[in-house]
Amino acid sequence: MKKPEKELSVEQKIKRRTFISFGLFGVYAAGAYGAWRWLYKSPEETAGITAGARKPLRRALNKTEIFFRRLTFNENHLVKTYPKEMAARIIRHNSDIGSEGKLPPENWKLQVKKINGETLQVSLDEIMALPKTEITYDFKCVEGWDQIQHWAGVKFSDFIAHYKLDAEAKLQYVGLETPDKQYYVGIDMPSAMHPQTLLAYQMNDVLLSGNHGQPLRLIIPVKYGIKNLKRIGTMTFSNSRPRDYWAEQGYDYFSGL
Ligand SMILES: Nc1nc2c(c(=O)[nH]1)N[C@H]1C(S)=C(S)[C@@H](COP(=O)(O)O)O[C@H]1N2
Ligand SMILES: [Mo]
């Protein structure tokens, strides 16, 4: 006859389970510690285009960004617009890095760095002679405010077509900087070429004030305020990411809505 298996006492069962739980806890803890060590020891990217982060983390972030860009961005998807009468009269105003005070338009020319090494110099009058586009939409700042505003200027894509910058527009990014290089942004080309993106010189039908980026600023409704650079000095084109003021501080490079 088979000897009946010895019944474990309740106390023994508890001991055994406690032992197994602690064992598993130890295994998980070692795993987590290992992963953390791996990340911690992995090379840190050079703080530059984006704020410093471990390379594997940044790689994952960049992959996620491209995934969401593809998922959410569509050049035919337009940002909601409003009747012009709904535009604010008293306009909110944010930081003025690189765009303080007033710059006499006669002392200003937009510098467009072509890929053949030439620089186009475009005056405000020349820009204002191009077809004009107006938009009334809800401008959004990442800091949590938004306001329905009316802007006018030349469509970025019209500007590209007029100055025959087709080869430039085939590259992946546009870089914009203030004349003093204090504020700068990088914009992915599909967002720059979006039909609602403007090189704006008017707000509420009058030329921009010093506060709002005169003589010319970017209005890019598919992105948060941080990317809407005021007082454009230079425009560059590249396949690598242009430097970006807020991305350097750790903000999302894409900053799309
Ligand atoms: N040159 C320059 N452009 C800039 C900024 C800046 O500090 N300097 N701030 C950005 C931010 S954070 C926002 S929300 C908008 C605000 O635009 P506004 O001052 O016309 O409202 O401008 C953007 N463009
Ligand atoms: Mo902002």
Side-chain angles (χ1 to χ4, degrees), residues 105-121:
E106 58 275 16
N107 295 350
W108 173 92
K109 277 206 172 108
L110 174 63
Q111 314 281 322
V112 182
K113 311 248 158 126
K114 296 180 57 167
I115 50 180
N116 65 7
E118 282 172 28
T119 302
L120 279 180
Q121 301 206 354

Side-chain angles (χ1 to χ4, degrees), residues 91-99 139-143 145 149 151 178 183 203 211-213 217 225-231 246:
I91 317 295
R92 287 206 65 145
H93 159 245
N94 226 48
S95 49
D96 280 313
I97 306 157
S99 57
F139 183 104
K140 297 186 176 81
C141 167
V142 277
E143 286 175 283
W145 59 266
Q149 300 172 341
W151 299 90
T178 54
Y183 196 81
M203 180 187 235
N211 276 348
H212 297 295
R217 78 174 294 171
I226 45 176
K227 292 285 189 178
N228 291 242
L229 182 131
K230 299 192 271 192
R231 189 169 293 161
W246 286 110

Side-chain angles (χ1 to χ4, degrees), residues 31-245:
Y33 179 72
W36 177 77
R37 288 297 297 169
W38 171 77
L39 199 57
Y40 193 76
K41 282 191 192 154
S42 65
E44 190 168 351
E45 69 167 2
T46 329
I49 301 302
T50 35
R54 302 289 156 187
K55 274 188 178 144
L57 268 189
R58 179 59 63 193
R59 258 200 312 273
L61 284 172
N62 287 351
K63 288 238 166 72
T64 315
E65 179 199 303
I66 301 222
F67 174 78
F68 279 102
R69 265 163 64 173
R70 293 209 179 115
L71 189 74
T72 59
F73 186 83
N74 177 337
E75 57 178 25
N76 300 313
H77 182 194
L78 299 182
V79 166
K80 187 176 177 200
T81 55
Y82 296 82
K84 191 175 172 184
E85 309 78 66
M86 282 181 72
R89 297 277 130 193
I90 298 161
I91 317 295
R92 287 206 65 145
H93 159 245
N94 226 48
S95 49
D96 280 313
I97 306 157
S99 57
E100 272 166 33
K102 213 167 151 67
L103 182 78
E106 58 275 16
N107 295 350
W108 173 92
K109 277 206 172 108
L110 174 63
Q111 314 281 322
V112 182
K113 311 248 158 126
K114 296 180 57 167
I115 50 180
N116 65 7
E118 282 172 28
T119 302
L120 279 180
Q121 301 206 354
V122 191
S123 70
L124 187 59
D125 286 342
E126 288 169 309
I127 289 170
M128 290 181 70
L130 298 177
K132 183 174 170 182
T133 301
E134 299 181 33
I135 188 169
T136 305
Y137 79 105
D138 195 13
F139 183 104
K140 297 186 176 81
C141 167
V142 277
E143 286 175 283
W145 59 266
D146 66 285
Q147 189 174 51
I148 296 176
Q149 300 172 341
H150 176 264
W151 299 90
V154 58
K155 263 190 205 180
F156 184 87
S157 60
D158 286 348
F159 179 86
I160 293 289
H162 180 83
Y163 286 100
K164 303 194 166 46
L165 298 163
D166 316 74
E168 281 74 10
K170 287 204 177 81
L171 303 188
Q172 291 174 39
Y173 292 96
V174 185
L176 299 174
E177 304 211 354
T178 54
D180 65 3
K181 316 247 170 267
Q182 293 296 302
Y183 196 81
Y184 35 91
V185 298
I187 310 279
D188 56 287
M189 195 61 75
S191 298
M193 294 296 280
H194 183 274
Q196 290 173 310
T197 302
L198 303 182
L199 295 172
Y201 47 80
Q202 283 185 343
M203 180 187 235
N204 290 340
D205 299 316
V206 294
L207 287 178
L208 296 181
S209 66
N211 276 348
H212 297 295
Q214 63 85 226
L216 189 75
R217 78 174 294 171
L218 183 69
I219 282 296
I220 183 159
V222 295
K223 291 197 188 288
Y224 278 108
I226 45 176
K227 292 285 189 178
N228 291 242
L229 182 131
K230 299 192 271 192
R231 189 169 293 161
I232 309 173
T234 57
M235 186 186 290
T236 58
F237 304 87
S238 58
N239 275 326
S240 56
R241 291 182 177 202
R243 65 187 192 134
D244 188 280
Y245 187 90

Side-chain angles (χ1 to χ4, degrees), residues 16-42:
R16 180 187 275 186
R17 286 190 192 169
T18 312
F19 179 75
I20 292 172
S21 306
F22 267 100
L24 281 177
F25 175 77
V27 171
Y28 289 140
Y33 179 72
W36 177 77
R37 288 297 297 169
W38 171 77
L39 199 57
Y40 193 76
K41 282 191 192 154
S42 65

